[in-house]
Amino acid sequence: MPAKSIQTLLEDFRLLSEEAHTLVQAVRALVPATLGATQEEVKYGGILFAVEGTSFAGVFAYKQHVSVEFGSGAAIVDPHGCLEGAGKGRRHIKLRSLSDIADKHLADYLKLALQAAR
């Protein structure tokens, strides 16, 4: 089965919810604005982000929220108290509105996630 393209996945997100689609697009814009050149890949039902081959985060859409996942999130010292999850490795931030991107300091966490993944 061929892998989904980013555009196809975005269309699926839009069918799920217009707000989810808008949030995913805002996260996709924030990642390179914060970290410079990044790569995107569709995997695990979301869009994963990498810098120079190091995967550090992903964005996933659900009916009630969008989740930004950090594969090495447990290694992040949580400066703002926004990380959720208690597993051995991963942590995430749930976004329910565009204002959550700033209110939950997502740009800071993206930088920390990249450092943790390296």
Side-chain angles (χ1 to χ4, degrees), residues 4-99:
K4 277 192 178 187
S5 71
I6 290 174
Q7 191 57 44
T8 300
L9 185 62
L10 290 171
E11 290 168 13
D12 290 348
F13 290 165
R14 185 175 296 226
L15 291 173
L16 183 66
S17 139
E18 189 63 41
E19 186 166 21
H21 179 266
T22 300
L23 281 167
V24 168
Q25 290 290 65
V27 171
R28 289 183 68 221
L30 180 65
V31 172
T34 302
L35 300 171
T38 57
Q39 299 83 47
E40 296 180 324
E41 173 187 17
V42 173
K43 202 167 188 180
Y44 311 121
I47 300 169
L48 299 186
F49 303 105
V51 171
E52 297 174 351
T54 300
S55 184
F56 65 94
V59 63
F60 301 84
Y62 302 95
K63 222 172 197 170
Q64 301 299 320
H65 67 277
V66 165
S67 182
V68 180
E69 307 276 338
F70 307 110
S72 299
I76 296 172
V77 175
D78 189 356
H80 306 290
C82 296
L83 291 177
E84 297 182 46
K88 287 198 281 187
R90 299 176 62 85
R91 297 290 182 273
H92 64 276
I93 294 176
K94 289 180 184 171
L95 306 173
R96 291 183 174 82
S97 67
L98 283 173
S99 64

